[in-house]
């Protein structure tokens, strides 16, 4: 029987790259048996905690671990805390203790006897680094603040209250309540215990104290605790078993679990850790549709994947659908679910027990398929029917032809000449409500549609729709969106006799779904407990216009929450990404009673990151050749700095607005003797730097990112060539902002933005 391993996230940052493979083998052996040859598990002389050990990694490095014996017998539990040079490991091990926080009961690994002087020294070092990074910005900000009026985010809290009730370290709490924003950032950097930094940050951005206390409280152990007191083995094991404690550790119960993670090459894999705020949404029981929102990197997909597996484990016979907008994201969703639990039941067909995974359009092909009776549904949706209609691939050209045909009957002008307006009107008003006559369209509600249409304009619009549908009938073709509307009606007809085809539907990237697709998802599952779980972020809406689900039968009714803490992007990169959104109003898709709906018009106080790193870099070139030269120069330096890439996936991403830019850049880099890979629809070919469009980058992340060609000719780009109405123009501009925001949030550590001649207006000055 294997031992259990509880690995805190700080462990992974301590492992030197040159011994990562040996660390992997050491962990594997330790889980199998501490008696295996070569481990040399050694206790310390006069340790602060008698359970601490060091384990051999190689002749130079040792691993510091805690051995927690099971009082009831059986294999011990191990807590590895770091890998260090031999002498440093001995010193760290002797002074380390494994204890329980006296207020929350969370297990903590800390240096015993960390004095006030130690804390202040650590704080001074972090403050100096902070000011070195942001000297100019801090000076500029302070010059506009009258003396004595600097904002202190935690000034309304009593330090003693933070210590006694929340368990924040004494020195940290008393410093935090007096700190201005810049000082609090340094304090959070200096905090020894990660969850305490997160708790202070949550309070600083406005989370209620009661909510934060609940989030960071583990079930109390069956013994009294005093600050700094070494906890018993039984108390530690009880605390480690709680959800809150487990959210601070990666938990491995078998050799197979450990091997899968270690072989992935990504110790900090998303699937290992669930923050307390995230975990509650995994197990949450709802009485109807639930929406979880949050910025890039806040863990929405993490929650959705864990919740999907949780529902499957709770009821192996449940029919669960996990879906998202694009094929690439659906494939990633499948990989994440199977990686989290390789034994989870994957359904082969829609309606089978288990988890069925596909993008929304693929789901519809399982309803509108050869052999299915489409006639009644097609007549009700389109006014005509066919046995097996083909997919219409030239939709934009068909709409242009329809405008030309309709203009022979009535004048067509203004927004009715523009394909984007026509397709959106069709998908938002006509198809969702199965309108098949001019009379129905005249009386239909256009709630949420910006451009107002008078009676003459509606008549002209319907003439265009009739011409569009007539050409489709003549060719025996339907668009993807029409097919989904047909599938929705078929599901409704099926439900009248046989019920719905799913018990739970979980949807990622909801912000990119139009009304027709939302109504299709609603038709898959009956209203009831845990029926729908929607994860999305309006700031990342790059395909659709703003849609309120309540207008199309998905009634959130206040069942929504927002994740605020970013786990992927450094604070510096996040600040740049959020500045791109400044000036955009993203509240159009949220109902007024939804949590956080008032925050989508501003970036301030919305999302925060605990990670720190270098400031983003900018480079403006006079010519495209000069821009390519600079990218090649930086890429060479990064590749040399990062060393040989042993990862299966690229660690560097280069993102462009258009496919033409992507292809030209790949050729330019190859001409400069740099080998990269051109990524379109498929996955990665190797570990070389990946060049892709901003759209394709959705759902990816890299250690380092270059945003290439972010000039005024390419960003914004989608509005070129169209005569939008004011609302349509604003929507298109919002999507362009969102697209650049998506690109900026793909970087975990370093970010470079380049352009030729005139930078994009979306970039901060």
């Amino acid at each position: 029987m294997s031992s259990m391993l509880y690995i805190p996230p700080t462990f992974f940052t301590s492992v030197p790259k040159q011994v990562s493979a040996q660390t992997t083998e050491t962990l594997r052996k330790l889980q199998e048996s501490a008696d295996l040859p070569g481990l040399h598990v050694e206790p310390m002389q006069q340790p602060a905690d008698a359970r601490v050990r060091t384990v051999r990694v190689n002749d130079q490095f040792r691993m510091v671990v805690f051995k927690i014996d099971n009082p009831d017998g059986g294999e011990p539990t191990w807590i590895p805390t770091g890998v260090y040079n031999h002498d440093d490991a001995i010193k760290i091990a002797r002074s380390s203790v494994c204890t329980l926080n006296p207020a929350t009961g969370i297990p903590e690994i800390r240096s015993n006897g960390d004095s006030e002087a130690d804390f202040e020294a650590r704080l001074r070092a972090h403050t100096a680094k902070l000011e070195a990074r942001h000297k100019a910005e801090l000076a500029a900000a302070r010059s506009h603040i009258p003396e004595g009026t600097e904002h202190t985010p935690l000034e309304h809290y009593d330090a003693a209250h933070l210590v006694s009730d929340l368990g924040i370290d004494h020195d940290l709490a008393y410093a935090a309540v007096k700190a201005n924003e810049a000082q609090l950032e340094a304090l959070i950097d200096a905090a020894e215990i990660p969850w305490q930094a997160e708790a202070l940050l949550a309070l600083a951005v406005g989370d209620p104290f009661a909510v934060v206390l609940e989030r960071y409280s583990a079930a109390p152990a069956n013994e009294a605790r005093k600050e700094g007191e070494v906890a018993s083995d039984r108390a530690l094991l009880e605390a480690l078993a709680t959800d809150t404690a487990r959210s601070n550790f990666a938990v491995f119960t078998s050799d197979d679990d450990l091997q899968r993670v270690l072989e992935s090459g990504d110790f900090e894999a998303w699937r290992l850790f669930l923050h307390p705020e995230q975990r509650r949404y995994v197990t949450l029981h709802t009485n109807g549709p639930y929406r979880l929102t949050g910025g890039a990197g806040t863990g929405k997909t993490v929650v959705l994947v864990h919740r999907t597996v949780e529902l499957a484990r709770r009821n192996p016979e449940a029919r669960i659908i996990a879906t998202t907008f694009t094929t690439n994201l659906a494939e990633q969703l499948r990989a994440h679910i199977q990686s989290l639990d390789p034994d989870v039941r994957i359904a082969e067909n829609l309606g089978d027990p288990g988890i069925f995974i596909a993008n929304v359009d693929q789901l519809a092909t399982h309803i509108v398929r050869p052999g299915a009776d489409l006639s009644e549904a097609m007549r009700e949706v389109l006014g005509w029917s066919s046995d097996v209609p083909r997919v219409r691939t030239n939709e934009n050209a068909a709409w242009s032809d329809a405008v030309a045909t309709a203009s022979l009957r009535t004048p067509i002008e203004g927004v009715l000449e523009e394909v984007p307006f026509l397709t959106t009107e069709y998908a938002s008003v006509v198809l969702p409500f199965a309108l098949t006559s001019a009379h129905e369209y005249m009386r239909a509600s256009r709630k949420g549609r910006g451009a107002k249409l008078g009676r003459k304009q509606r008549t002209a619009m319907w003439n265009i729709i009739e011409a569009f549908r007539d050409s489709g009938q003549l060719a025996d073709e339907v668009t993807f969106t029409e097919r989904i509307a047909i599938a929705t009606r078929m599901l409704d007809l099926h439900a009248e006799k046989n019920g719905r085809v799913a018990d739970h539907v979980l949807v990622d990237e909801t912000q990119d779904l139009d009304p027709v697709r939302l109504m299709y998802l609603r038709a898959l599952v009956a209203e009831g407990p845990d029926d729908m779980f929607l994860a999305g972020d309006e700031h990342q809406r790059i395909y659709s216009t703003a849609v309120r689900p309540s207008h199309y039968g998905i009634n959130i009714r206040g069942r929504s929450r927002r994740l605020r803490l970013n786990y992927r992007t450094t604070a510096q990169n996040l600040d740049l990404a959020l500045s791109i959104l400044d000036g955009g109003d993203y509240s159009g898709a949220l109902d007024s009673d939804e949590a956080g709906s008032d925050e989508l018009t501003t970036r301030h106080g919305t999302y925060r990151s605990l990670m720190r790193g270098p400031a983003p870099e900018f480079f403006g070139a006079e010519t495209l050749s000069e821009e390519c030269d600079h990218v090649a120069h930086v890429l060479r330096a990064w590749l040399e700095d990062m060393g040989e890439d042993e990862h299966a996936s690229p660690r560097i991403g280069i993102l462009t607005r258009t496919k033409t830019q992507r292809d030209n850049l790949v050729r330019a880099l190859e001409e400069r003797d740099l080998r990269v890979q051109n990524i379109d629809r498929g996955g990665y070919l190797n570990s070389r730097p990946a060049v892709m469009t901003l759209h394709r980058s959705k759902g990816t992340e890299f250690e380092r990112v270059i945003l290439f060609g972010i000039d005024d000719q390419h960003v914004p780009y989608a509005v070129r060539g169209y005569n939008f109405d004011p609302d349509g123009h604003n929507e298109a501009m919002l999507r362009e902002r969102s697209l650049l925001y998506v690109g900026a949030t793909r970087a975990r550590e370093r970010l470079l933005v380049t352009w030729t001649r005139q930078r994009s207006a979306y970039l901060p000055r």
Side-chain angles (χ1 to χ4, degrees), residues 649-700:
S649 299
R651 297 161 67 190
I652 298 175
I654 309 173
L655 315 182
T656 67
R657 174 61 183 88
T658 70
K659 292 183 178 181
T660 300
Q661 284 180 303
R662 178 199 65 196
D663 297 342
N664 289 341
L665 178 60
V666 169
R667 284 193 293 270
L669 292 175
E670 288 176 346
E671 289 170 359
R672 290 161 174 79
D673 297 325
L674 282 164
R675 296 194 299 171
V676 296
Q677 54 181 321
N678 191 333
I679 305 298
D680 192 1
R681 294 183 180 274
Y684 301 129
L685 304 174
N686 47 55
S687 61
R688 296 174 189 167
V691 186
M692 63 182 69
T693 64
L694 291 167
H695 280 94
R696 176 61 181 83
S697 73
K698 190 75 175 68
T700 66

Side-chain angles (χ1 to χ4, degrees), residues 168-392:
I168 303 297
D169 287 352
H170 177 278
D171 299 331
L172 179 60
Y174 277 83
V177 297
K178 300 177 182 178
N180 60 33
E181 290 187 356
Q183 293 165 340
L184 185 61
E185 183 179 350
L187 283 169
I188 288 171
D189 267 352
E192 185 180 14
I193 307 300
W195 77 261
Q196 295 190 21
E198 293 178 4
L200 288 176
L201 184 59
L203 293 174
V205 300
D207 286 1
F209 185 86
V211 172
V212 176
L213 180 61
E214 178 186 1
R215 187 183 303 164
Y216 293 100
S217 291
N222 296 325
E223 62 174 50
R225 296 185 304 272
K226 296 180 181 179
E227 186 172 0
E229 182 180 64
V230 175
S232 70
D233 288 348
R234 184 180 296 279
L236 275 171
L237 292 175
E238 289 175 356
L240 287 168
T242 65
D243 284 347
T244 301
R246 280 179 175 241
S247 67
N248 290 277
F249 295 88
V251 184
F252 300 100
T253 59
S254 71
D255 292 336
D256 291 340
D257 289 339
L258 180 63
Q259 194 64 27
R260 280 198 313 274
V261 174
L262 298 180
E263 287 178 354
S264 75
D266 183 7
F267 279 119
E268 294 183 278
W270 58 271
R271 62 184 178 274
L272 299 182
F273 296 95
L274 275 175
H275 187 270
E277 179 68 2
Q278 296 170 334
R279 185 173 293 276
R280 69 176 62 209
Y281 303 116
V282 171
T283 57
L284 180 73
H285 290 275
T286 71
N287 293 318
Y290 196 92
R291 174 144 74 171
L292 185 66
T293 63
T298 55
K300 301 177 298 300
T301 302
V302 178
V303 172
L304 185 138
V305 167
H306 279 264
R307 183 173 177 85
T308 302
V309 173
E310 169 70 17
L311 290 170
R313 289 171 175 170
R314 192 184 299 169
N315 178 11
E317 296 302 313
R319 300 164 302 164
I320 302 168
I321 294 173
T323 187
T324 186
F325 184 62
T326 69
T327 302
N328 288 325
L329 293 177
E331 291 172 353
Q332 291 178 23
L333 207 57
R334 177 184 296 274
H336 292 338
I337 288 171
Q338 293 184 308
S339 181
L340 179 63
D341 187 350
D343 299 323
V344 74
R345 188 175 185 177
I346 301 296
E348 293 288 334
N349 302 295
L350 186 65
D352 289 348
I355 303 172
F356 187 80
I357 308 165
N359 73 18
V360 179
D361 286 12
Q362 289 169 337
L363 285 175
T365 64
H366 290 263
I367 304 297
V368 183
R369 64 185 189 278
D373 184 2
L374 315 181
S375 56
E376 182 177 357
M378 281 192 69
R379 279 195 300 271
E380 292 187 19
V381 172
L382 299 180
W384 62 276
S385 64
S386 170
D387 292 334
V388 189
R390 297 184 298 272
V391 174
R392 196 170 197 169

Side-chain angles (χ1 to χ4, degrees), residues 134-176:
H134 305 299
K135 186 175 181 180
E137 292 91 333
L138 289 174
R142 288 167 180 160
S143 67
H144 291 85
I145 300 175
E147 188 174 354
T149 62
E150 278 194 283
H151 176 52
T152 51
L154 299 178
E155 62 187 348
H156 299 298
Y157 287 97
D158 177 61
H161 187 40
L162 295 178
V163 174
S164 61
D165 290 7
L166 190 54
I168 303 297
D169 287 352
H170 177 278
D171 299 331
L172 179 60
Y174 277 83

